[in-house]
Amino acid sequence: MSPTIGDTFPDLQGETQHTDAFSLYDYLGNKSWGIVFMHPGDFTPVCTTELGAAQSLKAEFYARNTKICGFSCDDASRHRAWVADIEAATGQRLDFPLFCDPDREHSIELGVFDPQLKDDAGLPQTVRSVFILNPDKTIALTMTYPSCVGRNFDEIL
C-alpha cells in the first residue's frame, strides 16, 4: 500500500546526479521540512520547466526551512545531461538532488507509477506526485497528478 499522510516516508537511498551514496534522511537532516517530487522521465518539456521553476524558488523554500529533492526513473548519467539541458532551457542550474530510480524499485514502493503508461523498455512511468515531509519524516501532504499535467511550484511553495 502506498504511504499516505501521517506515514513515515522511506529513506530514499541510492544515486543522484551528484553521488552514488545518497540518503534522503541525511540530506534533510533532523530539523528541516522536505519536498520530494516525482517526474515521469528526463528531458520531457514539462518536467524540464518544472525543475527550472523549482530551482528558481529554492531560496524561498530554504527560507521556510524546506529542502527539495527531485525524483525520476532515469539513471545518474541521464540526470547529469538533463541538468545541462534544464539550464539551457530555463537559465537555472540545478543544485538540489535528483534521485535516480531506473529499476522502479522506489516508485513501486511509493505507489507513484501509472501501470498503463510505459516507457520504451516497457517499464511503467511515474506520475507527478509530491510528498511534503515534516521534520520527523512523516508525510504532511501528498498531491498526485497524471503525468500529462504540469505542477505549479508557486502553489507548492
Side-chain angles (χ1 to χ4, degrees):
M1 181 170 202
S2 304
T4 189
I5 293 172
D7 291 346
T8 299
F9 193 83
D11 183 13
L12 299 176
Q13 295 182 357
E15 285 189 301
T16 70
Q17 80 275 28
H18 300 300
T19 181
D20 61 355
F22 178 79
S23 161
L24 180 65
Y25 286 10
D26 289 347
Y27 169 66
L28 295 177
N30 293 322
K31 297 182 180 179
S32 70
W33 289 71
I35 298 178
V36 180
F37 50 97
M38 282 67 182
H39 294 277
D42 296 357
F43 296 98
T44 61
V46 173
C47 298
T48 297
T49 56
E50 281 185 356
L51 284 165
Q55 179 65 43
S56 73
L57 293 169
K58 183 180 167 197
E60 294 293 326
F61 283 112
Y62 276 31
R64 291 162 174 81
N65 193 33
T66 303
K67 294 181 180 178
I68 56 178
C69 178
F71 180 112
S72 176
C73 290
D74 289 300
D75 63 26
S77 64
R78 278 189 58 90
H79 280 2
R80 286 189 288 276
W82 192 26
V83 166
D85 184 66
I86 292 165
E87 184 174 15
T90 69
Q92 298 292 325
R93 179 75 179 173
L94 266 59
D95 61 1
F96 58 84
L98 293 175
F99 188 77
C100 307
D101 190 29
D103 297 327
R104 312 304 196 265
E105 174 187 346
H106 299 283
S107 300
I108 292 167
E109 176 185 6
L110 295 168
V112 294
F113 65 94
D114 180 344
Q116 304 303 315
L117 185 62
K118 306 231 190 292
D119 67 10
D120 293 339
L123 294 169
Q125 291 188 315
T126 58
V127 292
R128 294 180 196 280
S129 288
V130 178
F131 293 89
I132 298 180
L133 311 179
N134 290 304
D136 67 0
K137 315 302 184 283
T138 58
I139 299 169
L141 176 140
T142 65
M143 294 186 287
T144 300
Y145 304 77
S147 60
C148 61
V149 175
R151 288 171 283 212
N152 180 333
F153 274 85
D154 287 316
E155 179 182 304
I156 293 170
L157 178 63

